[in-house]
Amino acid sequence: TSKIRIGIAGYGNLGRGVQAAIAKNSDMELVGVYSRRDPDTLQLAQPAPRYSVDVLGDHVDDIDVLILCGGSKSDLPEQGPRMAALFNTVDSFDTHARIPEYYETVNAPAKAAGKTALISAGWDPGMFSINRVYGEALLPDGETYTFWGRGLSQGHSDAVRRVPGVAGGVQYTIPSPEAIEQVRAGLRPTLSTREKHQRECYVVLEDGADENTVRELIVNMEHYFDQYDTTVNFIDAQTLAAEHSDMPHGGFVIRSGNTSESQKQVIEYSLALGSNPEFTSSVLVAYARAAFRMNQRGITGAQTVYDVAPGLLSPKSPAQLRAELL
Ligand code: NDP
């Protein structure tokens, strides 16, 4: 059987990750990397055909699934609906509050074109979403808890870098060990924002900037830090580059519930990711396989991870899955 032909739209962290993930899936091949920038200026991690996004319309017969690797804030709201009219697509749209609206804007063009658009895959939304549904459905009398970290938060790191006097920096989100312990014990605690996560910053100061002033500006920043216990560590630029360049992340989805008055049950799913974008990309590639198969079966329009049967993610046949994994 021939390989599933994948296109990458947008070459940032996820674009690079998708390229790496395709190399680990022998039933897939990379047709091309498409960018809004001049393709000749792109530094690809591995050699591959590079194109401008402007030629995508000419490549509709060459690509089985286009993986959209743009940012959720401004790229995907525009690219998602436009590309879903031309290709089967997969994306990682992660602005949770806007997913219902995004679903509608992608569903209409995908449906009209007979394409399948798998939206909001990744880990949160994505694998964590699936585990929240499993938890609720299997233990209706219970509570679901999502903890994030230890991990680098892109949004909070950006906020730290915008503080006057800050030359560089990163922010890690850390789940509270005490809170996790209570949840794992099945105590079903009510936890405030402050009790669930802490924040830890590593900051390089600009010449002449004052540590205490910068610390106060960070820990009191509205929405980002004021509802959390935040520690600020000052380091030099070399240490920042040497020790804080990776993008680790992860977390836990825990459901604890009661099946009868005397019986507690706890379900836990956890991720410890060396690289958030590389893991997210691996998820996107598995969902590209599913989107391709769903399209072949006539399942079109916008779909979410809730609509995808697990077996569709695997390169193995249903018979092989029954024999080897069931
Ligand atoms: P990047 O900022 O690295 O890339 C986003 C886009 O910006 C790229 O597609 C690229 O488009 C452009 N770009 C990248 N590098 C440069 C550059 N040097 N100069 C100019 N433009 C550049 O974002 P990520 O890949 O890290 O993340 C994309 C999205 O993935 C995030 O917004 C987030 O919402 C989502 N995400 C979802 C997760 C989930 O679990 N669901 C987890 C992690 C991320 P082009 O090539 O066209 O210029």
Side-chain angles (χ1 to χ4, degrees), residues 89-101:
T89 60
V90 176
D91 70 53
S92 66
F93 185 76
D94 73 350
T95 314
H96 289 262
R98 309 196 77 154
I99 289 175
E101 175 192 336

PDB file of all heavy atoms in Angstrom, residues 89-101:
ATOM      1  N   THR A  89      -7.052  18.186   7.170  1.00  0.00           N
ATOM      2  CA  THR A  89      -6.105  18.920   8.021  1.00  0.00           C
ATOM      3  C   THR A  89      -6.085  18.343   9.432  1.00  0.00           C
ATOM      4  O   THR A  89      -7.040  17.693   9.877  1.00  0.00           O
ATOM      5  CB  THR A  89      -6.474  20.416   8.127  1.00  0.00           C
ATOM      6  OG1 THR A  89      -7.780  20.530   8.695  1.00  0.00           O
ATOM      7  CG2 THR A  89      -6.436  21.117   6.788  1.00  0.00           C
ATOM      8  N   VAL A  90      -4.975  18.619  10.122  1.00  0.00           N
ATOM      9  CA  VAL A  90      -4.866  18.358  11.562  1.00  0.00           C
ATOM     10  C   VAL A  90      -4.245  19.604  12.164  1.00  0.00           C
ATOM     11  O   VAL A  90      -3.314  20.175  11.586  1.00  0.00           O
ATOM     12  CB  VAL A  90      -3.956  17.143  11.855  1.00  0.00           C
ATOM     13  CG1 VAL A  90      -3.788  16.954  13.360  1.00  0.00           C
ATOM     14  CG2 VAL A  90      -4.519  15.883  11.235  1.00  0.00           C
ATOM     15  N   ASP A  91      -4.770  20.059  13.315  1.00  0.00           N
ATOM     16  CA  ASP A  91      -4.128  21.189  13.994  1.00  0.00           C
ATOM     17  C   ASP A  91      -4.154  20.988  15.495  1.00  0.00           C
ATOM     18  O   ASP A  91      -4.754  20.037  16.002  1.00  0.00           O
ATOM     19  CB  ASP A  91      -4.774  22.520  13.583  1.00  0.00           C
ATOM     20  CG  ASP A  91      -6.185  22.705  14.127  1.00  0.00           C
ATOM     21  OD1 ASP A  91      -6.385  22.570  15.358  1.00  0.00           O
ATOM     22  OD2 ASP A  91      -7.092  22.993  13.317  1.00  0.00           O
ATOM     23  N   SER A  92      -3.478  21.920  16.194  1.00  0.00           N
ATOM     24  CA  SER A  92      -3.353  21.808  17.657  1.00  0.00           C
ATOM     25  C   SER A  92      -3.973  23.010  18.355  1.00  0.00           C
ATOM     26  O   SER A  92      -3.518  23.395  19.427  1.00  0.00           O
ATOM     27  CB  SER A  92      -1.871  21.701  18.032  1.00  0.00           C
ATOM     28  OG  SER A  92      -1.218  22.929  17.712  1.00  0.00           O
ATOM     29  N   PHE A  93      -5.014  23.588  17.764  1.00  0.00           N
ATOM     30  CA  PHE A  93      -5.629  24.808  18.311  1.00  0.00           C
ATOM     31  C   PHE A  93      -5.887  24.645  19.815  1.00  0.00           C
ATOM     32  O   PHE A  93      -6.646  23.770  20.229  1.00  0.00           O
ATOM     33  CB  PHE A  93      -6.937  25.114  17.574  1.00  0.00           C
ATOM     34  CG  PHE A  93      -7.577  26.405  17.983  1.00  0.00           C
ATOM     35  CD1 PHE A  93      -7.061  27.613  17.540  1.00  0.00           C
ATOM     36  CD2 PHE A  93      -8.680  26.423  18.835  1.00  0.00           C
ATOM     37  CE1 PHE A  93      -7.640  28.823  17.924  1.00  0.00           C
ATOM     38  CE2 PHE A  93      -9.264  27.626  19.215  1.00  0.00           C
ATOM     39  CZ  PHE A  93      -8.743  28.820  18.759  1.00  0.00           C
ATOM     40  N   ASP A  94      -5.261  25.499  20.625  1.00  0.00           N
ATOM     41  CA  ASP A  94      -5.308  25.244  22.074  1.00  0.00           C
ATOM     42  C   ASP A  94      -5.905  26.385  22.898  1.00  0.00           C
ATOM     43  O   ASP A  94      -5.723  26.412  24.119  1.00  0.00           O
ATOM     44  CB  ASP A  94      -3.913  24.852  22.599  1.00  0.00           C
ATOM     45  CG  ASP A  94      -2.937  26.019  22.659  1.00  0.00           C
ATOM     46  OD1 ASP A  94      -3.250  27.105  22.130  1.00  0.00           O
ATOM     47  OD2 ASP A  94      -1.853  25.836  23.248  1.00  0.00           O
ATOM     48  N   THR A  95      -6.620  27.304  22.274  1.00  0.00           N
ATOM     49  CA  THR A  95      -7.317  28.317  23.060  1.00  0.00           C
ATOM     50  C   THR A  95      -8.650  27.692  23.493  1.00  0.00           C
ATOM     51  O   THR A  95      -9.651  27.770  22.769  1.00  0.00           O
ATOM     52  CB  THR A  95      -7.540  29.595  22.229  1.00  0.00           C
ATOM     53  OG1 THR A  95      -6.320  29.929  21.564  1.00  0.00           O
ATOM     54  CG2 THR A  95      -7.970  30.757  23.111  1.00  0.00           C
ATOM     55  N   HIS A  96      -8.643  27.059  24.668  1.00  0.00           N
ATOM     56  CA  HIS A  96      -9.783  26.211  25.085  1.00  0.00           C
ATOM     57  C   HIS A  96     -11.123  26.928  24.968  1.00  0.00           C
ATOM     58  O   HIS A  96     -12.091  26.362  24.458  1.00  0.00           O
ATOM     59  CB  HIS A  96      -9.576  25.705  26.516  1.00  0.00           C
ATOM     60  CG  HIS A  96      -8.502  24.676  26.629  1.00  0.00           C
ATOM     61  ND1 HIS A  96      -8.760  23.328  26.668  1.00  0.00           N
ATOM     62  CD2 HIS A  96      -7.161  24.796  26.692  1.00  0.00           C
ATOM     63  CE1 HIS A  96      -7.618  22.652  26.763  1.00  0.00           C
ATOM     64  NE2 HIS A  96      -6.631  23.528  26.778  1.00  0.00           N
ATOM     65  N   ALA A  97     -11.179  28.169  25.429  1.00  0.00           N
ATOM     66  CA  ALA A  97     -12.457  28.890  25.465  1.00  0.00           C
ATOM     67  C   ALA A  97     -13.020  29.127  24.065  1.00  0.00           C
ATOM     68  O   ALA A  97     -14.221  29.328  23.904  1.00  0.00           O
ATOM     69  CB  ALA A  97     -12.285  30.209  26.198  1.00  0.00           C
ATOM     70  N   ARG A  98     -12.172  29.115  23.051  1.00  0.00           N
ATOM     71  CA  ARG A  98     -12.639  29.427  21.701  1.00  0.00           C
ATOM     72  C   ARG A  98     -12.793  28.194  20.815  1.00  0.00           C
ATOM     73  O   ARG A  98     -13.076  28.306  19.626  1.00  0.00           O
ATOM     74  CB  ARG A  98     -11.676  30.429  21.037  1.00  0.00           C
ATOM     75  CG  ARG A  98     -11.418  31.651  21.924  1.00  0.00           C
ATOM     76  CD  ARG A  98     -10.822  32.760  21.153  1.00  0.00           C
ATOM     77  NE  ARG A  98     -11.846  33.423  20.350  1.00  0.00           N
ATOM     78  CZ  ARG A  98     -11.778  34.675  19.955  1.00  0.00           C
ATOM     79  NH1 ARG A  98     -10.727  35.397  20.275  1.00  0.00           N
ATOM     80  NH2 ARG A  98     -12.728  35.206  19.234  1.00  0.00           N
ATOM     81  N   ILE A  99     -12.599  27.009  21.363  1.00  0.00           N
ATOM     82  CA  ILE A  99     -12.699  25.794  20.546  1.00  0.00           C
ATOM     83  C   ILE A  99     -14.089  25.636  19.912  1.00  0.00           C
ATOM     84  O   ILE A  99     -14.170  25.331  18.711  1.00  0.00           O
ATOM     85  CB  ILE A  99     -12.272  24.537  21.353  1.00  0.00           C
ATOM     86  CG1 ILE A  99     -10.750  24.571  21.584  1.00  0.00           C
ATOM     87  CG2 ILE A  99     -12.660  23.255  20.617  1.00  0.00           C
ATOM     88  CD1 ILE A  99     -10.218  23.451  22.470  1.00  0.00           C
ATOM     89  N   PRO A 100     -15.192  25.868  20.648  1.00  0.00           N
ATOM     90  CA  PRO A 100     -16.509  25.709  20.001  1.00  0.00           C
ATOM     91  C   PRO A 100     -16.665  26.605  18.764  1.00  0.00           C
ATOM     92  O   PRO A 100     -17.172  26.165  17.728  1.00  0.00           O
ATOM     93  CB  PRO A 100     -17.491  26.107  21.111  1.00  0.00           C
ATOM     94  CG  PRO A 100     -16.758  25.795  22.380  1.00  0.00           C
ATOM     95  CD  PRO A 100     -15.319  26.148  22.094  1.00  0.00           C
ATOM     96  N   GLU A 101     -16.198  27.823  18.889  1.00  0.00           N
ATOM     97  CA  GLU A 101     -16.284  28.798  17.789  1.00  0.00           C
ATOM     98  C   GLU A 101     -15.354  28.378  16.632  1.00  0.00           C
ATOM     99  O   GLU A 101     -15.737  28.424  15.456  1.00  0.00           O
ATOM    100  CB  GLU A 101     -15.849  30.140  18.392  1.00  0.00           C
ATOM    101  CG  GLU A 101     -15.722  31.319  17.499  1.00  0.00           C
ATOM    102  CD  GLU A 101     -14.993  32.445  18.267  1.00  0.00           C
ATOM    103  OE1 GLU A 101     -15.019  32.456  19.523  1.00  0.00           O
ATOM    104  OE2 GLU A 101     -14.384  33.281  17.601  1.00  0.00           O
TER     105      GLU A 101
END
